[in-house]
């Protein structure tokens, strides 16, 4: 039962309503404290996620720094940079082919 019957509400006097209100306020405070205690469990992971998001936003707004670091690595170690570029290119192409293959097979397996 979510709410008391209408007849019960009518029969409650002002004092009963005040007592009920106080009980509800105490229960509400207890629930808020319980929620705050339970939220501490996820507070640290969410703080890390916020830091990661802030870092990505900074990189998005300041692309010259990672690009400058990449150019520096290319100048200092060109052979290693080309090897990693080839690996990344191959991985990107493999992922694209896998996505295409999965899309084609998902479409062909759908019922008409």
């Amino acid at each position: 039962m979510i709410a008391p019957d209408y007849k019960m509400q009518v029969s409650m006097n002002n004092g009963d309503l005040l007592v009920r209100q106080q009980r509800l306020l105490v229960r509400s405070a207890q629930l808020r404290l319980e929620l705050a205690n339970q939220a501490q469990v996820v507070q640290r992971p969410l703080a890390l996620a916020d830091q990661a998001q802030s870092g990505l936003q900074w990189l998005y707004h300041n692309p010259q720094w990672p690009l400058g670091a990449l150019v520096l690595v290319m100048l200092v170690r060109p052979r290693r940079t080309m090897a990693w570029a080839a690996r990344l290119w191959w991985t990107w192409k493999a992922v694209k082919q896998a996505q295409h293959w999965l899309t084609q097979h998902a479409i062909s397996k759908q019922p008409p």
Side-chain angles (χ1 to χ4, degrees):
M1 179 186 282
I2 295 174
D5 292 335
Y6 177 72
K7 292 178 184 177
M8 185 180 147
Q9 288 179 354
V10 171
S11 67
M12 292 179 76
N13 63 21
N14 202 18
D16 292 338
L17 288 174
L18 288 174
V19 169
R20 184 164 184 236
Q21 180 185 22
Q22 289 300 317
R23 287 182 185 155
L24 289 173
L25 288 172
V26 168
R27 178 70 177 143
S28 178
Q30 290 172 342
L31 290 173
R32 277 196 293 285
L33 288 173
E34 187 178 328
L35 179 63
N37 288 335
Q38 291 175 354
Q40 288 179 352
V41 174
V42 295
Q43 187 175 11
R44 189 172 191 149
L46 290 177
L48 289 173
D50 286 342
Q51 286 179 344
Q53 182 184 17
S54 296
L56 289 173
Q57 286 177 347
W58 183 86
L59 283 174
Y60 180 75
H61 293 297
N62 299 290
Q64 68 274 16
W65 295 108
L67 289 175
L70 181 63
V71 168
L72 182 65
V73 170
M74 287 176 65
L75 292 174
V76 174
R77 304 235 185 224
R79 195 173 292 165
R80 184 176 288 179
T81 304
M82 292 307 290
W84 275 103
R87 289 181 194 138
L88 289 172
W89 178 257
W90 182 85
T91 303
W92 183 76
K93 293 293 280 182
V95 167
K96 286 294 185 184
Q97 286 178 345
Q99 285 176 343
H100 179 70
W101 184 81
L102 288 172
T103 303
Q104 291 301 316
H105 281 70
I107 291 173
S108 64
K109 290 189 178 186
Q110 288 180 351

